[in-house]
Amino acid sequence: MSQAESAIALVDCNSFYASCERVFRPDLLRTPIVVLSNNDGCVIARSAEAKVLGIKMGEPYFQIRQKLRQHGILAFSSNYALYGDMSQRVMTILEGMAPVLEVYSIDEAFADLTGMPGSLEALGREMRARVLRCTGIPVGVGIAQTKTLAKLANRAAKQWQRQTGGVVDIRQPAKRDKLLRAMDVSEVWGIGRQMTAHLADMNIRTAWELAQSDAWTLRSKFSVVVEKTARELRGTPCLALEEQVPPRQEICCSRMFGKRLHELAPIREAVATYAARACEKLRTQHSLCKKVRVSIRTGMFNPDEPKFAKGIICELPYPTDDTRLITKAAAEGLELIYRAGFAFSKAEILLLDLRQRGEFTDDLFVATPPEAAERVMGVMDAINARWGRGTMHPAGVPAQPDWGMRREMMSPSYTTRIEQLWRVT
Amino acid sequence: MSCTILGPLSSSSVSLPFYSFRVPAGFPSPAQDHIEAEISLDELLDLRAPHMYLVRISGDSMIDAGLFDGDLAIVNRAMQGRPGLIVIAALNGDALVKRLAKEGEQLVLRAENKAYAPRYVLEGDELLIWGVVTHSVHCHVPG
């Protein structure tokens, strides 16, 4: 028996953050919406209506405030508790419909549909209908032989939503070639702005032209990645579905403060808070770290402010995931790099030199992690998982910091906080 | 009215450490061989399913259906709303909890409190059935 032809679907939520904001606000069905980055900095998501009105990704909020008011566009602070919960719901539904699912980001997933019986386009429509019914989030589905083609098919499903009903299957060569000819090479997954320019020099302007290019030339001129992209566009799978994300090699927690900080004490609080969060991430992937880098900086764009940025790497006595140990090291590092007289805007904690538990060999002559510490951390994580983040925290982390993130237009956490549930009359 | 006692409830499906009885010397617990899986409200009400939502009831328009101000409603979005069911409806953008009914071809959103008139869904009205209320949680302890 010949092997079944591969079939990959890319399911992608339409304007995900904006769509999440609408789920519990049916009055905003047709209202243009934008969602802002941390500290209400700049636009990171737009509803279709906001796109039509000419709002661009990355535009700073303070520059477009007037324009938003003028067009009746509603701005939201990012509400990651809501987006995370809605994402989990969408992915759970998709997992129930496809044998293998790779969650690629908060709002998109690849599904391996190879060998599924029946019409895959019908299955795509059913995915779309079920996610919409169960969550209120509209999705687009692109189906093809490879991940790169599925991405392209998904773009077509979005671009020609009305004609396609949000589902496009390009496994037939005629359909695939038609789409490849219609798509600019910059629309291809993994082809960035610089690469687009390089390819233009070689007269490669459409996805079709990239697909027709000689694979070996692409590899020798650019990289194996571009070569694989071209092969994938021709329908040869080169990128496998990754069901399990490998543990990260470094963990970062960095945020802008809600306001400028001058004194050491509140910065120390912020550093302790970020360190505690980074340690939680560390323990979730069951890793230990041997180094922690702490850095602080002032604003970098205001010409009237004196600028300063400095970081330091602190060595830990042994590979650990103990919040207390890591926070202590970070606080000591901070003392060394802090300078009075500056208006600091951001701190960052980076956990480095990560390894999996049991990977390091005990050195007989250095201190080893006490077993009690592990149990303390386990209990702390369990308590915070049960009663909400921050229920139990090291004393250096304040419960309600006045330097916290600015989120002045945030919607309630409708699905994750009992006191903020949706109210109906 | 009568009631049947179901047995112990586990707090949720969040996994908690399980401590087995350990009696190093002496008698083993007589209950040890009779431990059964605990009853979970999460499972009973299907709360962890991706299509289930919790919603807070506000106001007294549904008191005759046993839904009171401040109650928690458990809402199933996957269920088709049909006449006879209590639904969360978005009528012209307003979120309402009412009983869906049909008079001939006419859709009606009925309050369950004589003080409130039924709301007939007219041409030009935009009605979206958001979900179906499957259960509700009411606190019986005053204060």
Side-chain angles (χ1 to χ4, degrees):
Chain A
M1 202 181 92
S2 74
Q3 215 184 350
E5 189 194 45
S6 92
I8 310 285
L10 176 68
V11 187
D12 186 9
C13 302
N14 299 351
S15 312
F16 181 60
Y17 295 173
S19 298
C20 286
E21 295 293 349
R22 274 187 179 139
V23 170
F24 300 94
R25 290 289 304 272
D27 55 312
L28 301 182
L29 191 63
R30 277 179 283 274
T31 307
I33 291 174
V34 296
V35 177
L36 305 173
S37 61
N38 286 345
N39 277 318
D40 298 338
C42 51
V43 173
I44 53 166
R46 307 157 297 164
S47 71
E49 300 78 6
K51 284 177 199 170
V52 170
L53 289 169
I55 304 295
K56 303 267 181 302
M57 284 296 257
E59 280 193 282
Y61 174 57
F62 73 92
Q63 274 179 15
I64 57 166
R65 205 176 294 191
Q66 181 64 28
K67 193 171 169 188
L68 296 181
R69 201 170 313 136
Q70 193 184 325
H71 292 291
I73 303 171
L74 216 56
F76 284 95
S77 305
S78 34
N79 183 348
Y80 285 106
L82 175 66
Y83 311 151
D85 180 78
M86 295 310 293
S87 169
Q88 209 176 346
R89 290 171 188 266
V90 171
M91 298 308 169
T92 308
I93 293 160
L94 295 176
E95 266 162 23
M97 301 182 75
V100 179
L101 194 78
E102 174 194 345
V103 177
Y104 183 66
S105 72
I106 193 166
D107 62 352
E108 55 187 331
F110 288 103
D112 190 349
L113 305 180
T114 308
M116 292 281 281
S119 155
L120 294 190
E121 196 177 319
L123 179 63
R125 288 190 198 291
E126 175 58 22
M127 284 176 159
R128 198 180 132 77
R130 199 179 293 182
V131 171
L132 185 65
R133 194 169 67 234
C134 294
T135 67
I137 306 282
V139 301
V141 184
I143 304 169
Q145 287 91 345
T146 70
K147 284 171 111 174
T148 308
L149 281 171
K151 268 276 206 192
L152 215 56
N154 187 284
R155 275 207 175 223
K158 262 191 192 158
Q159 205 160 327
W160 296 288
Q161 176 117 21
R162 197 161 316 147
Q163 296 90 320
T164 61
V167 180
V168 168
D169 179 355
I170 55 163
R171 284 174 305 148
Q172 279 176 12
K175 278 191 181 173
R176 179 184 70 207
D177 293 350
K178 192 176 160 205
L179 181 63
L180 286 175
R181 286 198 167 91
M183 284 289 186
D184 202 88
V185 74
S186 63
E187 310 252 1
V188 173
W189 191 31
I191 302 295
R193 209 183 314 163
Q194 266 198 330
M195 186 53 66
T196 303
H198 287 315
L199 291 171
D201 290 341
M202 295 173 63
N203 272 324
I204 300 172
R205 292 200 165 75
T206 64
W208 168 258
E209 283 161 353
L210 180 59
Q212 299 312 305
S213 307
D214 178 57
W216 285 104
T217 312
L218 290 174
R219 175 187 281 213
S220 55
K221 263 194 96 111
F222 304 114
S223 68
V224 68
V225 181
V226 182
E227 183 209 344
K228 278 187 177 173
T229 301
R231 284 187 194 278
E232 285 239 320
L233 286 178
R234 286 204 287 272
T236 311
C238 299
L239 305 169
L241 246 62
E242 288 165 27
E243 288 172 79
Q244 275 224 315
V245 191
R248 276 177 298 187
Q249 292 307 298
E250 54 181 54
I251 287 172
C252 175
C253 182
S254 96
R255 262 171 238 161
M256 303 279 288
F257 308 134
K259 61 177 190 191
R260 296 282 194 263
L261 297 180
H262 300 267
E263 306 297 320
L264 180 59
I267 300 177
R268 199 189 291 123
E269 284 179 4
V271 162
T273 307
Y274 301 172
R277 180 67 197 117
C279 290
E280 275 174 20
K281 292 187 197 172
L282 183 70
R283 290 193 292 271
T284 317
Q285 66 167 39
H286 307 292
S287 299
L288 302 171
C289 84
K290 183 69 174 39
K291 294 185 179 72
V292 53
R293 182 178 190 274
V294 55
S295 59
I296 48 174
R297 69 165 172 82
T298 59
M300 287 293 153
F301 303 108
N302 188 340
D304 305 328
E305 264 181 329
K307 291 168 195 52
F308 178 79
K310 200 171 165 77
I312 190 171
I313 290 185
C314 313
E315 199 77 25
L316 295 155
Y318 44 80
T320 181
D321 61 5
D322 190 329
T323 301
R324 297 165 299 178
L325 217 55
I326 291 165
T327 307
K328 186 164 163 278
E332 285 167 5
L334 176 66
E335 305 269 351
L336 292 173
I337 58 173
Y338 170 79
R339 295 276 180 287
F342 290 97
F344 288 98
S345 69
K346 187 179 183 178
E348 180 180 285
I349 287 286
L350 204 57
L351 304 184
L352 297 159
D353 199 356
L354 305 193
R355 52 198 89 190
Q356 288 306 97
R357 235 164 227 294
E359 221 173 65
F360 76 99
T361 41
D362 284 329
D363 185 332
L364 280 176
F365 302 104
V366 294
T368 49
E371 264 176 51
E374 242 161 70
R375 291 215 299 276
V376 172
M377 290 300 117
V379 167
M380 187 165 87
D381 288 344
I383 286 174
N384 288 335
R386 178 81 179 75
W387 284 287
R389 176 163 298 156
T391 303
M392 186 180 181
H393 54 81
V397 177
Q400 285 288 342
D402 75 332
W403 43 263
M405 221 199 296
R406 249 195 335 261
R407 290 190 290 195
E408 282 157 11
M409 295 157 286
M410 186 149 95
S411 51
S413 296
Y414 296 106
T415 53
T416 48
R417 288 197 172 253
I418 193 81
E419 72 281 3
Q420 294 181 14
L421 291 177
W422 193 31
R423 299 185 78 93
V424 294
T425 51
Chain B
M1 195 187 267
S2 73
C3 70
T4 311
I5 292 164
L6 289 171
L9 287 174
S10 87
S11 51
S12 77
S13 61
V14 175
S15 60
L16 295 169
F18 175 77
Y19 299 103
S20 63
F21 294 95
R22 275 232 301 248
V23 189
F27 299 102
S29 161
Q32 196 168 19
D33 295 338
H34 301 275
I35 294 170
E36 291 176 18
E38 290 175 325
I39 296 165
S40 154
L41 259 189
D42 290 17
E43 277 170 37
L44 208 61
L45 307 180
D46 203 15
L47 274 183
R48 300 284 150 190
H51 52 266
M52 300 303 285
Y53 296 80
L54 285 177
V55 166
R56 181 79 67 187
I57 302 293
S58 178
D60 58 357
S61 73
M62 292 300 285
I63 51 174
D64 291 345
L67 283 176
F68 299 91
D69 188 44
D71 282 3
L72 277 180
I74 293 152
V75 179
N76 184 338
R77 269 199 76 133
M79 234 170 128
Q80 202 75 40
R82 56 170 196 272
L85 293 174
I86 298 176
V87 296
I88 305 293
L91 185 64
N92 305 326
D94 289 334
L96 304 170
V97 53
K98 297 285 175 283
R99 197 180 294 278
L100 189 64
K102 215 169 179 186
E103 289 180 14
E105 283 306 298
Q106 174 78 60
L107 274 180
V108 194
L109 292 171
R110 261 189 229 290
E112 303 243 333
N113 178 342
K114 286 193 189 69
Y116 292 80
R119 173 67 160 85
Y120 290 84
V121 181
L122 307 170
E123 228 179 77
D125 275 337
E126 194 170 22
L127 177 73
L128 172 97
I129 302 298
W130 197 93
V132 173
V133 177
T134 57
H135 301 82
S136 64
V137 180
H138 178 76
C139 179
H140 292 274
V141 179

